[in-house]
Amino acid sequence: MVVFLYRVSRLKLHDIIVVYFLSYITVKPLVKKKSEKSRSEPEPGFTYLTNHTHVLVALHSAPDLRVRDLAAVIGITERAVQRILADLEAVGVLEKERLGRRNRYRISRKSRLRHPLEEHCSVGGLLDWVSSGKPKA
């Protein structure tokens, strides 16, 4: 610890208490070392669902979330959330309803998934499967 005092003779009781307090502060690292990670934390790298699905799942449980809140919940930027919302609106999976200064999103549960491997499934079925066992907010 380095404390710069320009004159020792001008120290007051308050300054001594502050210096004493600062000597006991420890700096904790912001990033955990690999050995400190708990076994319950998932390994980084990839997730099984896309960010588009994450947006749908979040809006399924709370349809009036703001873009900022969606970004925080999903862990992506606000701009990425805006692009995903535009994509989902363009294909008809989402409808945006303006309520004052906020938006409320309605999901078209009958829409089909877009990839040929999953085109027999609906968006509603996917949301039900992902949200099963999880209470709605």
Side-chain angles (χ1 to χ4, degrees), residues 11-68:
L11 280 177
K12 295 183 178 160
L13 181 60
H14 170 64
D15 297 327
I16 294 170
I17 292 171
V18 169
V19 171
Y20 181 74
F21 176 73
L22 288 176
S23 67
Y24 283 99
I25 294 178
T26 59
V27 178
K28 295 181 181 177
L30 295 177
V31 179
K32 291 181 180 179
K33 295 179 183 176
K34 286 189 178 185
S35 62
E36 294 177 2
K37 283 187 177 181
S38 69
R39 295 185 189 270
S40 65
E41 290 183 26
E43 288 294 321
F46 71 95
T47 60
Y48 292 101
L49 302 176
T50 66
N51 287 337
H52 285 68
T53 307
H54 293 149
V55 168
L56 286 172
V57 169
L59 289 175
H60 175 65
S61 59
D64 54 351
L65 281 175
R66 298 177 302 170
V67 171
R68 175 177 294 158

Side-chain angles (χ1 to χ4, degrees), residues 83-101:
R83 281 193 307 269
I84 290 170
L85 289 172
D87 289 346
L88 294 172
E89 286 178 55
V91 297
V93 174
L94 270 186
E95 291 179 25
K96 179 171 52 174
E97 179 185 357
R98 191 79 174 163
L99 295 173
R101 295 177 57 191

